[in-house]
Amino acid sequence: MLYLLASCIALLIGPLFYRYFSSGSGLQKGLDGFIFVSLGGLVLIHILPELLEHGGLLAIVFVVLGLWGPTASERLFHRYSEITHNLTLSLGIGGLLLHTITDGGAMVLAQQDGNSSLLALGVILHRLPVGLAIWWLLKPQVGTRWASLVLVAMMLLTGVGYFAGEQLLSQLSLDNTFYLQAFVTGSILHVVLHQPHGQHDTDKQGQYEYQAGIGSLLGIGLLMVLLLMDSGGHEHAHHDHSTEQLTTWLMTIAPVLLLSYAAAALRFQLGLTPQDNSLARRWFQRLAGPEALVLTALLLGPWLALFQLLVVFIMSAYLAHARVEITDPHSKLPNNALRFGFAHLVDRSAPWVLLSLVLVNLIGHPSVPLSNPMLQIAVLLLVFLPMRFCNLGAAVLSIALAYSGWSPIAIILPLIAAPVLNIAQLKLMSWPQRGVLLAIIAVALVAAIRLPMWFSLITLPEAINLAALLVLSGLFAASLLRLGPRKFLRRLMMLKPATHGHKHGHDHAHAHASAAESAHSHSHTHSHSHQSGGHSHSDANKHHH
């Protein structure tokens, strides 16, 4: 009974925090960062692996439908965009209400002999961001009364789950409702990503991104606590395994990734910069760095690195000969080489590194049948097309695929194709140019079949790996503080946020139009502003690619 009371109090803390944090724009941005990271992280790290375990590949389809379906509807039916958004919000809230019943049941299980009380503590802690999110999402749109009613309903349904026992839980288990829960999970992600009442009008210059970064770091801290508790009290063996696998990958990659950033700083110091006068050299930097070759050589072996270097040389020479310009240029560069390698490049690559690891951790799940090499290639192409991978993110993706036992051609594909095979870049090419590029990639993949197996050149002591991971975490945290969580991850979005111009009860729209304008003024790899690739570039900007 004490667990039930504590979980209800945790929900009520949300409105109290909201009242305090909404008093200032900086605090509001901090709250937004906290909810954005903690609730989004809970979905990606905690909920999605369980859905995959029960629903397989089809669960991902329903998540994508819940995530991008409302966005597509809003673009197709502008007149009804507010109705679509409100329906999505209702679905997300409904999913959270359904989840509260299982929370109540989980606390009952935690009280039984042989089960850890950490499970109940984890449930109570994860209700903090949920309570905040409910108030954050609902109060600006429907007012205090309805937001309060939803919180009361959540407390009542938690009580239902607590007192109804295992009979009700069996009816609401993942085995019976995983496709519904997958769709609702996507809806929750949609609502969190498309910030329903973010006060962009008070932060046009981004002066509150530091506060948003602080909030996101607090959200990451909460996530880490929940994951530690979950591994202590949870019985889902694969879920524990997937979290340990992510940690192992990060520790293995961290020291080599730091070396890659150092290599980037060195080549910048030597004059090889993204604003080089030679288009061929700019293409080589886009495709391989050469800092990405450091990752490939040390963690996949020198033969794969030499093969990548050869193919990238051929592709760079052809694309330069065809006068194909590069999307998402580095419009502003720091003067200092260290700042370029350990700040500018970190800002551009960190989201891709994290995305690659989380993505492979999900699609490498035993419940996802992707053992056929052709199917693996098809899935990777579907990932590449809407996004604009950087070369370091592509190298990390290949390494994670190798660790997951994927086929050699699937491991090679990101190394040579991920930074160039995207819709925005292909729009800048004619059909014959696209045909030649695809032919080069296809021939390279056929040749890659005869390459020796990958192997790691180095194996470092665990203490060095851990120290490197701490340093890398510090660099990523500094990037979060500089950019704020939304700008940090904005380049991963597939659609332009300007399409979300809903009007809400407080007469402030999403104000994503200003975000779209700022997306063209800075140099991060935005995967959502694909159409920017079609803009004509003046001669003054020609060498900024």
Side-chain angles (χ1 to χ4, degrees), residues 41-52 99 181 185 239:
L42 277 172
V43 168
L44 287 174
I45 299 174
H46 181 82
I47 298 174
L48 270 183
E50 289 191 18
L51 288 174
L52 275 172
H99 188 66
Q181 292 201 40
T185 296
H239 181 248

Side-chain angles (χ1 to χ4, degrees), residues 373-388:
M374 291 300 104
L375 188 57
Q376 292 174 354
I377 295 294
V379 168
L380 289 175
L381 290 176
L382 286 174
V383 170
F384 296 159
L385 283 173
M387 298 188 175
R388 296 189 215 175

Side-chain angles (χ1 to χ4, degrees), residues 292-414:
L293 293 168
V294 175
L295 275 166
T296 308
L298 293 180
L299 294 178
L300 292 178
W303 294 113
L304 266 67
L306 285 171
F307 182 80
Q308 180 188 8
L309 180 63
L310 175 64
V311 176
V312 163
F313 263 132
I314 294 170
M315 290 173 65
S316 300
Y318 169 70
L319 291 168
H321 174 73
R323 303 304 301 169
V324 177
E325 290 293 348
I326 303 173
T327 58
D328 185 41
H330 297 246
S331 58
K332 292 182 180 179
L333 289 177
N335 297 322
N336 183 280
L338 286 176
R339 188 176 291 277
F340 173 81
F342 292 96
H344 178 78
L345 210 61
V346 169
D347 290 345
R348 290 179 69 95
S349 63
W352 293 110
V353 169
L354 297 175
L355 171 74
S356 298
L357 294 172
V358 172
L359 182 67
V360 177
N361 196 46
L362 289 174
I363 62 178
H365 196 288
S367 302
V368 182
L370 291 176
S371 56
N372 186 290
M374 291 300 104
L375 188 57
Q376 292 174 354
I377 295 294
V379 168
L380 289 175
L381 290 176
L382 286 174
V383 170
F384 296 159
L385 283 173
M387 298 188 175
R388 296 189 215 175
F389 267 84
C390 70
N391 51 57
L392 285 175
V396 170
L397 180 65
S398 289
I399 292 163
L401 291 174
Y403 291 167
S404 297
W406 279 41
S407 65
I409 58 172
I411 295 168
I412 286 291
L413 182 63

Side-chain angles (χ1 to χ4, degrees), residues 222-274:
L222 177 63
L223 270 178
M224 292 177 68
V225 170
L226 290 175
L227 285 173
L228 286 172
M229 290 184 171
D230 191 50
S231 62
H234 221 275
E235 293 184 357
H236 295 294
H238 179 80
H239 181 248
D240 295 345
H241 170 69
S242 66
T243 306
E244 290 172 8
Q245 180 174 263
L246 264 179
T247 307
T248 303
W249 288 352
L250 273 169
M251 288 184 66
T252 305
I253 290 169
V256 186
L257 192 55
L258 290 176
L259 195 59
S260 297
Y261 288 137
L266 179 62
R267 58 105 163 169
F268 185 88
Q269 183 68 36
L270 295 175
L272 186 60
T273 75

Side-chain angles (χ1 to χ4, degrees), residues 80-99:
Y80 305 108
S81 63
E82 187 172 352
I83 296 173
T84 305
H85 183 75
N86 288 337
L87 180 62
T88 308
L89 181 61
S90 302
L91 272 173
I93 299 300
L96 289 174
L97 287 170
L98 181 67
H99 188 66

Side-chain angles (χ1 to χ4, degrees), residues 34-35 38-39 42 125-134 222 226:
F34 177 79
I35 294 172
S38 58
L39 195 60
L42 277 172
L125 277 178
H126 97 265
R127 309 264 280 192
L128 289 171
V130 170
L132 272 169
I134 292 292
L222 177 63
L226 290 175

